[in-house]
Amino acid sequence: MSNKMLWHAFIACIALLSGAVNASDHWNHTGGEESSAAHVYVFNRDDDRLRVALFIDGEFVDSREVSSESEAEFGIYNLEGEHSFTITWWDEDTRKSYETSVVMVVKNATPVTLYTEKNDAPEKFYLTVLVKNDNERDLDVCLYIDDKFERCTNAKKSSMTEAGKIKLERGMHNISVHWRDPETEIEYRKSRRVDLIRDDAVVLYAPKGVAFKKGASSRAQISDASQAPSQPSQSSPKKEAANNLSTNSSETRSSITSPKTVELSTLKTTRQAVDRVEEWQNRTSNDLYIYAFIIALAVYLLFRS
């Protein structure tokens, strides 16, 4: 039973290998002269040996090394009609990958030649970055090139320090240094754009930062107080506020005492009115008594006669 299983496994392996060979032979030309096929060649124009990969209709076919200024045959592939041929390679000089393509109509035996391009390494120059520390203490400054961290160094107080010497490609670069004030904990940054066309140097300045000293606040308050009378623009609002406060206080006092004054005046007026009414009533009652006496006397004299 085990021998049969081994035999079936062996047959399966043979079938898999046969399928793989047939898949690779899909591109290889094995027919007669009348069959349509593409003969693919690659010519390397670069001054370095390159590893070149071949793709047909977007599918990877083969990869080979091609010497500088030489041609290599990649193979013969069974094709007919229009097809695209692409090669890709990596250039160590530029640290980049490249590719080139060509579309060909394959009829009978059609040669297809693809060329790599020559890419020279870009020119590089040395840039020396100097930091002028105007502070009265040493600073730890960090150098950034094109927003990428390079290194940190200690910049001595009141002196010039080399922050770094970097080899860069020709062209524009953004140079910046960062540092933190050890006393105030405030972070500063100075930047500069440099067009590098040769070995060059650039100086970045670290000026004095904001300093906070003990007792500075109280002295500032005393100074402000002593200077207040000589500054009309600052003292006039204070005087105006004081006058407003005094006016409000007086108005408040008057608003508090005015009801009592009004009440006393009202009571006095009422008392005078009452006295006048009583006086009028007394006069009226006396007059009535007199009129009554005269009428009674007239009646008496009339009946007596």
Side-chain angles (χ1 to χ4, degrees):
M1 186 70 178
S2 60
N3 291 333
K4 289 184 178 180
M5 293 179 65
L6 291 174
W7 175 252
H8 286 297
F10 177 74
I11 295 299
C13 291
I14 294 298
L16 291 173
L17 291 174
S18 177
V21 171
N22 290 335
S24 62
D25 287 344
H26 168 71
W27 298 108
N28 293 334
H29 172 60
T30 56
E33 295 181 357
E34 69 278 2
S35 298
S36 179
H39 299 248
V40 180
Y41 304 87
V42 173
F43 188 91
N44 180 13
R45 291 174 173 172
D46 197 74
D47 54 358
D48 296 319
R49 186 181 183 89
L50 300 176
R51 166 67 67 172
V52 181
L54 173 65
F55 296 82
I56 299 179
D57 296 331
E59 296 183 13
F60 173 75
V61 176
D62 198 0
S63 175
R64 296 185 183 183
E65 286 191 355
V66 183
S67 300
S68 174
E69 298 295 335
S70 63
E71 184 180 76
E73 181 181 3
F74 268 64
I76 302 174
Y77 305 97
N78 288 330
L79 298 171
E80 186 174 3
E82 185 176 277
H83 296 275
S84 66
F85 300 85
T86 304
I87 56 172
T88 64
W89 69 95
W90 173 264
D91 195 314
E92 284 292 336
D93 291 337
T94 60
R95 306 296 296 175
K96 294 180 181 179
S97 62
Y98 299 89
E99 72 172 47
T100 183
S101 299
V102 64
V103 177
M104 298 288 294
V105 177
V106 180
K107 293 181 180 179
N108 300 325
T110 303
V112 179
T113 304
L114 297 101
Y115 299 87
T116 65
E117 300 173 358
K118 182 179 181 180
N119 297 288
D120 296 327
E123 289 184 283
K124 290 187 177 182
F125 303 100
Y126 282 102
L127 178 66
T128 303
V129 181
L130 303 173
V131 176
K132 177 64 171 64
N133 182 10
D134 292 333
N135 290 264
E136 297 178 354
R137 63 179 69 88
D138 295 350
L139 298 176
D140 291 327
V141 297
C142 296
L143 174 63
Y144 289 78
I145 306 294
D146 297 327
D147 297 327
K148 294 181 179 180
F149 173 78
E150 290 293 335
R151 53 173 295 189
C152 290
T153 188
N154 183 263
K156 300 300 181 181
K157 62 181 181 180
S158 303
S159 63
M160 189 87 71
T161 304
E162 181 179 313
K165 187 175 183 180
I166 313 298
K167 192 172 186 179
L168 301 173
E169 293 182 4
R170 182 191 189 102
M172 295 295 297
H173 296 279
N174 184 36
I175 315 299
S176 63
V177 290
H178 301 231
W179 74 92
R180 183 186 297 272
D181 192 295
E183 184 174 347
T184 63
E185 294 299 321
I186 298 177
E187 185 174 346
Y188 298 89
R189 173 181 176 179
K190 283 291 183 179
S191 300
R192 185 172 175 181
R193 294 280 292 174
V194 177
D195 187 8
L196 191 62
I197 58 175
R198 60 180 179 274
D199 291 344
D200 205 349
V202 60
V203 179
L204 297 174
Y205 292 87
K208 293 182 179 180
V210 179
F212 299 96
K213 297 181 180 179
K214 295 182 179 180
S217 178
S218 61
R219 288 197 298 270
Q221 292 177 357
I222 295 173
S223 177
D224 292 343
S226 63
Q227 294 178 2
S230 63
Q231 296 178 355
S233 60
Q234 296 180 358
S235 60
S236 56
K238 295 181 179 179
K239 291 182 179 179
E240 184 178 356
N243 293 334
N244 292 336
L245 180 60
S246 176
T247 303
N248 294 335
S249 301
S250 62
E251 290 178 355
T252 304
R253 288 195 298 271
S254 64
S255 64
I256 295 174
T257 57
S258 59
K260 293 183 179 181
T261 305
V262 172
E263 184 178 357
L264 292 174
S265 177
T266 304
L267 290 175
K268 184 177 180 180
T269 304
T270 304
R271 182 61 181 174
Q272 292 176 355
V274 171
D275 292 341
R276 291 177 182 176
V277 171
E278 290 179 352
E279 183 180 357
W280 180 80
Q281 289 178 350
N282 292 334
R283 290 180 181 178
T284 303
S285 60
N286 292 333
D287 291 341
L288 288 176
Y289 291 148
I290 294 172
Y291 292 152
F293 176 75
I294 293 174
I295 293 173
L297 180 59
V299 172
Y300 172 74
L301 292 175
L302 181 62
F303 281 102
R304 182 178 179 182
S305 61

